[in-house]
């Protein structure tokens, strides 16, 4: 049984990462384009944004682990740290293909996709792929009175979204795995849209990322000048985790994962 306490992320390694100065990006080759009706898009606004800017294949398909890691590094100056490598490998579990996945396939419930999202509905409640403004209102309206989000507001959003979800979704899955994924996603938007050192991000930049799945270049956003790596990203994530009060809820309390689109789920930790 999992005790009721604050959980720190367990998927990180403190292994050293060499910092290499990033090459300049030719932004003229990465102008935003809205996806077509046949392009694949999924539940992750960050990956959808990278596809809309051509860092990932614009059709959102045939994505391999090297492709997605390079895209995140090129688009966000986010080094391929352990948690990103793990996430990329988990992406392959969402498909029967041997070495690639599409963005839409990432919506497979129970691998990376999860309940109590900051911008998507739960699968049990309907569409878990497309942006939902009602769901996003919790994040959009957080940290009132200032024009930025920070570690404290990110933790409060996680708590509020979970409280809201407990009311509307009787089949809510809320194990430590889902908590950690939500914390990592929160650290992601603070780091890539703001400052990974301070954990502060302008509200306007974050809202454009989620609502339009666009890099707010016209509004003044720039890719992080500091490479986002194990140490500085861990600091943001751990700050959010420590500011959060979390306990498992629902009938499923042990972390589990779906290893393929078909078949049963597998409990990964007791």
């Amino acid at each position: 049984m999992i005790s009721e306490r604050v959980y720190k992320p367990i998927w990180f390694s403190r292994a050293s990462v060499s910092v290499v100065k990033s090459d300049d990006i030719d932004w003229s080759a990465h102008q935003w384009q809205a996806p077509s009706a046949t392009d694949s898009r999924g539940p992750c606004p960050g990956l959808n944004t990278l596809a809309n800017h051509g860092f990932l294949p614009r059709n959102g398909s045939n994505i391999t682990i090297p492709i997605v890691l390079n895209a995140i590094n090129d688009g966000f100056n986010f080094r391929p740290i352990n948690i990103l490598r793990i996430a990329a490998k988990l992406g392959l579990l969402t498909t029967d293909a041997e070495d690639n996945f599409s963005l839409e396939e990432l919506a497979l419930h129970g691998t990376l996709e999860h309940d109590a999202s900051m911008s998507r509905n739960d699968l049990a409640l309907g569409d878990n792929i497309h942006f939902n403004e009602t769901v996003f209102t919790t994040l959009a309206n957080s940290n009132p009175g200032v024009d930025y989000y920070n570690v404290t507001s990110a933790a409060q959003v996680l708590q509020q979204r979970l409280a809201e979800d407990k009311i509307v979704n009787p089949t809510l899955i809320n194990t430590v795995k889902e908590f950690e994924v939500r914390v990592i996603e929160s650290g992601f938007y603070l780091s890539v849209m703001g400052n990974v050192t301070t954990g502060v991000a302008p509200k306007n930049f974050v809202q454009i990322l989620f609502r339009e799945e666009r890099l707010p270049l016209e509004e003044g956003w720039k890719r992080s000048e500091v490479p986002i790596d194990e140490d500085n990203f861990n600091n943001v994530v751990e700050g959010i985790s420590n500011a959060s009060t979390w306990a498992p809820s629902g009938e499923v309390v042990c972390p589990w994962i779906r290893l393929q689109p078909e078949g049963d789920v597998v409990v990964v930790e007791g």
Side-chain angles (χ1 to χ4, degrees), residues 71-91:
I72 295 171
N73 187 33
D74 291 345
F76 297 126
N77 201 11
F78 203 136
R79 295 292 183 258
I81 63 176
N82 283 352
I83 188 56
L84 294 187
R85 289 192 289 268
I86 292 171
K89 292 176 182 179
L90 289 177

Side-chain angles (χ1 to χ4, degrees), residues 58-175:
R58 290 189 182 270
N59 66 4
S61 300
N62 298 314
I63 297 171
T64 65
I65 291 175
I67 285 174
V68 72
L69 293 178
N70 288 334
I72 295 171
N73 187 33
D74 291 345
F76 297 126
N77 201 11
F78 203 136
R79 295 292 183 258
I81 63 176
N82 283 352
I83 188 56
L84 294 187
R85 289 192 289 268
I86 292 171
K89 292 176 182 179
L90 289 177
L92 293 177
L93 301 181
T94 65
T95 176
D96 290 325
E98 293 183 359
D99 62 356
N100 66 85
F101 57 88
S102 70
L103 295 180
E104 185 175 0
E105 286 172 325
L106 296 179
L108 179 69
H109 187 56
T111 302
L112 290 170
E113 189 275 340
H114 56 83
D115 290 336
S117 165
M118 291 175 288
S119 63
R120 266 67 175 171
N121 223 337
D122 293 353
L123 176 63
L125 302 177
D127 181 3
N128 69 332
I129 292 181
H130 298 96
F131 174 80
N132 185 302
E133 182 65 41
T134 300
V135 171
F136 183 64
T137 297
T138 303
L139 171 54
N141 294 344
S142 65
N143 217 24
V146 295
D147 62 357
Y148 59 85
Y149 302 121
N150 58 18
V151 165
T152 302
S153 70
Q156 292 171 344
V157 168
L158 293 182
Q159 292 173 198
Q160 185 176 343
R161 277 292 303 125
L162 184 56
E164 294 164 349
D165 221 43
K166 288 179 180 178
I167 296 172
V168 299
N169 185 2
T171 63
L172 167 70
I173 296 178
N174 175 42
T175 76

Side-chain angles (χ1 to χ4, degrees), residues 9 11 83 90 111-114 118 158 175-187:
W11 290 351
I83 188 56
L90 289 177
T111 302
L112 290 170
E113 189 275 340
H114 56 83
M118 291 175 288
L158 293 182
T175 76
V176 66
K177 186 195 82 172
E178 285 74 36
F179 171 71
E180 290 185 357
V181 173
R182 293 192 292 260
V183 170
I184 291 165
E185 290 170 343
S186 300

